Amino acid sequence: MPPLWSTAAGVAALLWWAGSAAADVGIFSDIDGFTAYADSHGGFPSQTFRSSDIVAPVFQVNSWDRADADAAPYLFLGTVYGRMRAGPMILDARDLSLVYADQRYDNAYCANVQVVSGTRYMAFWEGVHHRGHASGHCLVYDEGYRLTYNVTAQGLHGGALADMHEMVFTPDETIIFSTYFNIPYNCSSVGGPDEALLMDSGFQEVDPETNKVLFEWNASDYFDIADSFARYDEAYGVSPDSGFDFFHINSIEKTVDGNYLISSRHLSVLALVDGKDGHPIWTLGGKRNQFEDLSNGTATNFGWQHDARFYHNQSHITVFDNHGEATGHCEGKCESRGLHLEIDTVNMTARVVHEYFHPESINSGAMGGLQQLESGNVMIGWGHSPGFVEYRSEGTPVMDIQRGKIGGEALADMFAYRVYKHQWQGKPAWPPSVAVDAPNRTTSNATVYVSWNGATDVKSWAIATQLAADNATEINDDKSLIAEAPRRGFETAIHLGADVTRRYVGAAALAADGAVLGTTHVIDMESGLPVITASDMTSIRAPPKARLGAAGIQMGGAIFALAAVVYTASYLRKRKTRRDAERAVYTKIGMAD
């Protein structure tokens, strides 16, 4: 289902008054400036736009070797960005500008591209986050941003739903997600009462078409709670209504032969689980490690880890090793690392292939993930130290980015749990968005702001007006063009100059070959509001004098007063009523908590 602004009437809601921010802020390369900017935004360095109500991140670039970076053009994050601004984000990996965001959710994790039968999908978890676990839904969208699947857990104690830590397709085109739920349990072996609650965790594998559970696994059936490194106290979730989180599963991967690689944070264990009866085939790390360490202890001493994945036909494993629970600058040698292991399950040996440490010398006590890229590079999200770093295979950083301040205590909801790099071709069904500053109530010296949430193929924007008459229905041919400018970031601002004085304008998004990909609604420059009619531009062929170069784009320049934009109380009430109605629809299908 498209975001709330996808309807024709929704376009009107995207027109913002002159006090709103204009065009992209860009990226920082000065850490002091970035820190000050982050502090001024409550720890969430962000920006807003004229043509959209999206809140976008602002990044600090510590280093960036573009020549050695992986060629995949888009970054995927599941993020919380300030108050009620959670959802999946797609960023352009070439300039870190926002490409897509859907921020209707309370929490969002694990936004990633999954390829199913040769087709790319964006999948992520959304829902309500509790202390260390969550309850919600796994959503799958196609490249047109249409909801394809909505799945969650079935039959769990207390009505618990899918947990946030994992959501992934299997080789069988089913979906796996993690589960957390309370059960009555004897916790005397860890210092608790005989009659207590245990926060068990595990996973379900479901058919996305029917949501039927195909396989279910629970940690308490196979692992001893006394093997946990967690303590039976409030710090690990123990309360009158929540049990001891002894296992804390945070990744699951199904193999082509039907078994499951799992990661337990609180046991500091990776295990291969049998896909028929659920017993552990082998255990790597933790108190019952079964592998000989060929790397002087550094292959099996990982701890509190996340995101374990097989590599090279199950002979290698990658994992993000938090190695402890502290977040901040390292005291001496850093411990948190991306870890690449080679394992031999015949001779039961393990050795370190590569380690990846943060170039700013920090540890991350929670969250984090590692993606092995097709080029051989490695992308690591640093969890509670909210940044992501891409490395060459041998460990040299080629990109070091912050989305928040690092090196200090973790800030709630400011994290980089998992960060992925992928191919994607976004083709939204909704039209581009437009807003204007028109000091003269005409195109004369006006500025037009254009954006298209989710569109990946826009290379330039064309602004057109009807030159023969002030008729909103006749902006539809190549003689209407008065300006064209390259796309720059999420929002492009185009100053029209004083040569043409007309009342109505429309904007068209153009592909690299000049083809029209989509058009905005026509804007009445006298009122600053849209005329609910499409501009109907099917082709753009501008005379040379009509084209604007990069200098014609006002990226964060002066904001012109728009005297004619009037947002009446009646209009705002209608906008709120429409949004409330649409949210009610999402709630009915299980997409809102």
mmCIF file of all heavy atoms in Angstrom, residues 406-429:
data_model
loop_
_atom_site.group_PDB
_atom_site.id
_atom_site.type_symbol
_atom_site.label_atom_id
_atom_site.label_comp_id
_atom_site.label_asym_id
_atom_site.label_seq_id
_atom_site.Cartn_x
_atom_site.Cartn_y
_atom_site.Cartn_z
ATOM 1 N N ILE A 406 28.723 9.325 17.791
ATOM 2 C CA ILE A 406 29.280 8.066 18.246
ATOM 3 C C ILE A 406 30.324 8.327 19.316
ATOM 4 O O ILE A 406 30.818 9.438 19.460
ATOM 5 C CB ILE A 406 29.904 7.253 17.091
ATOM 6 C CG1 ILE A 406 31.083 7.999 16.463
ATOM 7 C CG2 ILE A 406 28.861 6.921 16.042
ATOM 8 C CD1 ILE A 406 31.827 7.197 15.431
ATOM 9 N N GLY A 407 30.632 7.275 20.063
ATOM 10 C CA GLY A 407 31.677 7.390 21.071
ATOM 11 C C GLY A 407 31.176 7.655 22.464
ATOM 12 O O GLY A 407 31.930 7.553 23.431
ATOM 13 N N GLY A 408 29.886 7.974 22.619
ATOM 14 C CA GLY A 408 29.309 8.213 23.935
ATOM 15 C C GLY A 408 28.254 7.177 24.259
ATOM 16 O O GLY A 408 28.149 6.130 23.601
ATOM 17 N N GLU A 409 27.465 7.448 25.275
ATOM 18 C CA GLU A 409 26.400 6.537 25.642
ATOM 19 C C GLU A 409 25.352 6.478 24.528
ATOM 20 O O GLU A 409 25.119 7.443 23.803
ATOM 21 C CB GLU A 409 25.739 6.991 26.941
ATOM 22 C CG GLU A 409 26.645 6.870 28.169
ATOM 23 C CD GLU A 409 25.919 7.223 29.446
ATOM 24 O OE1 GLU A 409 24.692 7.462 29.383
ATOM 25 O OE2 GLU A 409 26.571 7.255 30.496
ATOM 26 N N ALA A 410 24.709 5.318 24.432
ATOM 27 C CA ALA A 410 23.702 5.124 23.396
ATOM 28 C C ALA A 410 22.497 6.029 23.645
ATOM 29 O O ALA A 410 22.064 6.212 24.787
ATOM 30 C CB ALA A 410 23.275 3.670 23.348
ATOM 31 N N LEU A 411 21.970 6.604 22.584
ATOM 32 C CA LEU A 411 20.759 7.412 22.628
ATOM 33 C C LEU A 411 19.600 6.557 22.148
ATOM 34 O O LEU A 411 19.683 5.927 21.088
ATOM 35 C CB LEU A 411 20.919 8.647 21.738
ATOM 36 C CG LEU A 411 19.694 9.554 21.566
ATOM 37 C CD1 LEU A 411 19.318 10.208 22.900
ATOM 38 C CD2 LEU A 411 19.972 10.625 20.505
ATOM 39 N N ALA A 412 18.535 6.516 22.908
ATOM 40 C CA ALA A 412 17.386 5.685 22.547
ATOM 41 C C ALA A 412 16.904 6.009 21.136
ATOM 42 O O ALA A 412 16.743 7.174 20.770
ATOM 43 C CB ALA A 412 16.253 5.910 23.551
ATOM 44 N N ASP A 413 16.693 4.967 20.351
ATOM 45 C CA ASP A 413 16.173 5.038 18.980
ATOM 46 C C ASP A 413 17.168 5.583 17.959
ATOM 47 O O ASP A 413 16.839 5.690 16.776
ATOM 48 C CB ASP A 413 14.883 5.866 18.901
ATOM 49 C CG ASP A 413 13.720 5.191 19.609
ATOM 50 O OD1 ASP A 413 13.722 3.947 19.674
ATOM 51 O OD2 ASP A 413 12.827 5.903 20.105
ATOM 52 N N MET A 414 18.382 5.943 18.378
ATOM 53 C CA MET A 414 19.403 6.369 17.429
ATOM 54 C C MET A 414 20.400 5.218 17.292
ATOM 55 O O MET A 414 21.227 4.980 18.168
ATOM 56 C CB MET A 414 20.092 7.649 17.912
ATOM 57 C CG MET A 414 21.327 8.062 17.098
ATOM 58 S SD MET A 414 21.119 8.079 15.310
ATOM 59 C CE MET A 414 20.029 9.482 15.092
ATOM 60 N N PHE A 415 20.295 4.472 16.201
ATOM 61 C CA PHE A 415 21.113 3.284 16.025
ATOM 62 C C PHE A 415 21.276 2.981 14.546
ATOM 63 O O PHE A 415 20.636 3.601 13.696
ATOM 64 C CB PHE A 415 20.477 2.075 16.738
ATOM 65 C CG PHE A 415 19.039 1.815 16.337
ATOM 66 C CD1 PHE A 415 18.721 1.154 15.155
ATOM 67 C CD2 PHE A 415 17.995 2.240 17.147
ATOM 68 C CE1 PHE A 415 17.411 0.925 14.783
ATOM 69 C CE2 PHE A 415 16.665 2.015 16.780
ATOM 70 C CZ PHE A 415 16.382 1.349 15.601
ATOM 71 N N ALA A 416 22.142 2.033 14.243
ATOM 72 C CA ALA A 416 22.268 1.483 12.887
ATOM 73 C C ALA A 416 22.274 -0.035 13.053
ATOM 74 O O ALA A 416 23.323 -0.665 13.075
ATOM 75 C CB ALA A 416 23.533 1.975 12.206
ATOM 76 N N TYR A 417 21.079 -0.599 13.234
ATOM 77 C CA TYR A 417 20.964 -2.023 13.554
ATOM 78 C C TYR A 417 21.539 -2.887 12.437
ATOM 79 O O TYR A 417 22.469 -3.645 12.622
ATOM 80 C CB TYR A 417 19.503 -2.377 13.808
ATOM 81 C CG TYR A 417 19.273 -3.843 14.124
ATOM 82 C CD1 TYR A 417 19.998 -4.482 15.123
ATOM 83 C CD2 TYR A 417 18.323 -4.580 13.432
ATOM 84 C CE1 TYR A 417 19.790 -5.818 15.420
ATOM 85 C CE2 TYR A 417 18.100 -5.909 13.728
ATOM 86 C CZ TYR A 417 18.835 -6.531 14.720
ATOM 87 O OH TYR A 417 18.637 -7.850 15.007
ATOM 88 N N ARG A 418 20.956 -2.781 11.277
ATOM 89 C CA ARG A 418 21.514 -3.417 10.082
ATOM 90 C C ARG A 418 21.440 -2.417 8.939
ATOM 91 O O ARG A 418 20.444 -1.706 8.790
ATOM 92 C CB ARG A 418 20.757 -4.693 9.708
ATOM 93 C CG ARG A 418 20.869 -5.809 10.736
ATOM 94 C CD ARG A 418 20.074 -7.028 10.299
ATOM 95 N NE ARG A 418 20.091 -8.069 11.328
ATOM 96 C CZ ARG A 418 19.350 -9.173 11.267
ATOM 97 N NH1 ARG A 418 18.543 -9.373 10.243
ATOM 98 N NH2 ARG A 418 19.409 -10.065 12.237
ATOM 99 N N VAL A 419 22.483 -2.374 8.149
ATOM 100 C CA VAL A 419 22.540 -1.485 6.988
ATOM 101 C C VAL A 419 22.930 -2.337 5.790
ATOM 102 O O VAL A 419 23.904 -3.083 5.847
ATOM 103 C CB VAL A 419 23.559 -0.352 7.193
ATOM 104 C CG1 VAL A 419 23.621 0.544 5.963
ATOM 105 C CG2 VAL A 419 23.199 0.469 8.444
ATOM 106 N N TYR A 420 22.158 -2.223 4.722
ATOM 107 C CA TYR A 420 22.378 -3.060 3.543
ATOM 108 C C TYR A 420 22.597 -2.199 2.303
ATOM 109 O O TYR A 420 22.074 -1.085 2.200
ATOM 110 C CB TYR A 420 21.173 -3.966 3.289
ATOM 111 C CG TYR A 420 20.877 -4.951 4.392
ATOM 112 C CD1 TYR A 420 19.894 -4.683 5.350
ATOM 113 C CD2 TYR A 420 21.558 -6.156 4.480
ATOM 114 C CE1 TYR A 420 19.604 -5.586 6.354
ATOM 115 C CE2 TYR A 420 21.276 -7.070 5.478
ATOM 116 C CZ TYR A 420 20.306 -6.781 6.411
ATOM 117 O OH TYR A 420 20.032 -7.679 7.411
ATOM 118 N N LYS A 421 23.314 -2.770 1.361
ATOM 119 C CA LYS A 421 23.561 -2.112 0.081
ATOM 120 C C LYS A 421 23.030 -3.026 -1.019
ATOM 121 O O LYS A 421 23.361 -4.219 -1.058
ATOM 122 C CB LYS A 421 25.061 -1.881 -0.098
ATOM 123 C CG LYS A 421 25.445 -0.699 -0.964
ATOM 124 C CD LYS A 421 26.943 -0.434 -0.890
ATOM 125 C CE LYS A 421 27.299 0.873 -1.577
ATOM 126 N NZ LYS A 421 28.770 1.108 -1.579
ATOM 127 N N HIS A 422 22.202 -2.465 -1.933
ATOM 128 C CA HIS A 422 21.527 -3.313 -2.919
ATOM 129 C C HIS A 422 21.231 -2.540 -4.209
ATOM 130 O O HIS A 422 21.276 -1.308 -4.247
ATOM 131 C CB HIS A 422 20.189 -3.823 -2.372
ATOM 132 C CG HIS A 422 20.299 -4.889 -1.343
ATOM 133 N ND1 HIS A 422 20.729 -6.166 -1.609
ATOM 134 C CD2 HIS A 422 19.998 -4.863 -0.013
ATOM 135 C CE1 HIS A 422 20.704 -6.889 -0.499
ATOM 136 N NE2 HIS A 422 20.272 -6.118 0.474
ATOM 137 N N GLN A 423 20.845 -3.308 -5.217
ATOM 138 C CA GLN A 423 20.203 -2.772 -6.406
ATOM 139 C C GLN A 423 18.720 -2.549 -6.095
ATOM 140 O O GLN A 423 18.131 -3.242 -5.280
ATOM 141 C CB GLN A 423 20.342 -3.760 -7.573
ATOM 142 C CG GLN A 423 21.767 -4.064 -7.994
ATOM 143 C CD GLN A 423 22.418 -2.912 -8.721
ATOM 144 O OE1 GLN A 423 21.739 -2.076 -9.325
ATOM 145 N NE2 GLN A 423 23.745 -2.859 -8.669
ATOM 146 N N TRP A 424 18.109 -1.592 -6.780
ATOM 147 C CA TRP A 424 16.688 -1.326 -6.595
ATOM 148 C C TRP A 424 16.217 -0.418 -7.711
ATOM 149 O O TRP A 424 16.960 0.457 -8.178
ATOM 150 C CB TRP A 424 16.440 -0.647 -5.246
ATOM 151 C CG TRP A 424 14.994 -0.419 -4.890
ATOM 152 C CD1 TRP A 424 14.326 0.765 -4.874
ATOM 153 C CD2 TRP A 424 14.059 -1.406 -4.460
ATOM 154 N NE1 TRP A 424 13.033 0.585 -4.462
ATOM 155 C CE2 TRP A 424 12.836 -0.738 -4.193
ATOM 156 C CE3 TRP A 424 14.127 -2.784 -4.263
ATOM 157 C CZ2 TRP A 424 11.694 -1.412 -3.756
ATOM 158 C CZ3 TRP A 424 12.989 -3.453 -3.814
ATOM 159 C CH2 TRP A 424 11.801 -2.776 -3.569
ATOM 160 N N GLN A 425 14.994 -0.631 -8.183
ATOM 161 C CA GLN A 425 14.395 0.266 -9.162
ATOM 162 C C GLN A 425 13.004 0.637 -8.677
ATOM 163 O O GLN A 425 12.037 -0.088 -8.877
ATOM 164 C CB GLN A 425 14.318 -0.368 -10.555
ATOM 165 C CG GLN A 425 13.865 0.618 -11.624
ATOM 166 C CD GLN A 425 13.878 0.026 -13.020
ATOM 167 O OE1 GLN A 425 13.796 -1.189 -13.185
ATOM 168 N NE2 GLN A 425 13.979 0.884 -14.025
ATOM 169 N N GLY A 426 12.941 1.777 -7.998
ATOM 170 C CA GLY A 426 11.686 2.219 -7.426
ATOM 171 C C GLY A 426 10.790 2.884 -8.451
ATOM 172 O O GLY A 426 11.195 3.832 -9.122
ATOM 173 N N LYS A 427 9.546 2.388 -8.540
ATOM 174 C CA LYS A 427 8.586 2.915 -9.515
ATOM 175 C C LYS A 427 7.271 3.207 -8.804
ATOM 176 O O LYS A 427 6.312 2.452 -8.923
ATOM 177 C CB LYS A 427 8.384 1.897 -10.642
ATOM 178 C CG LYS A 427 9.658 1.601 -11.441
ATOM 179 C CD LYS A 427 9.516 0.381 -12.324
ATOM 180 C CE LYS A 427 9.548 -0.902 -11.503
ATOM 181 N NZ LYS A 427 9.588 -2.125 -12.348
ATOM 182 N N PRO A 428 7.211 4.285 -8.033
ATOM 183 C CA PRO A 428 6.009 4.561 -7.239
ATOM 184 C C PRO A 428 4.790 4.807 -8.090
ATOM 185 O O PRO A 428 4.865 5.376 -9.184
ATOM 186 C CB PRO A 428 6.391 5.821 -6.448
ATOM 187 C CG PRO A 428 7.507 6.445 -7.213
ATOM 188 C CD PRO A 428 8.253 5.317 -7.861
ATOM 189 N N ALA A 429 3.633 4.384 -7.566
ATOM 190 C CA ALA A 429 2.373 4.586 -8.279
ATOM 191 C C ALA A 429 1.831 5.991 -8.060
ATOM 192 O O ALA A 429 0.983 6.460 -8.820
ATOM 193 C CB ALA A 429 1.343 3.555 -7.809
#
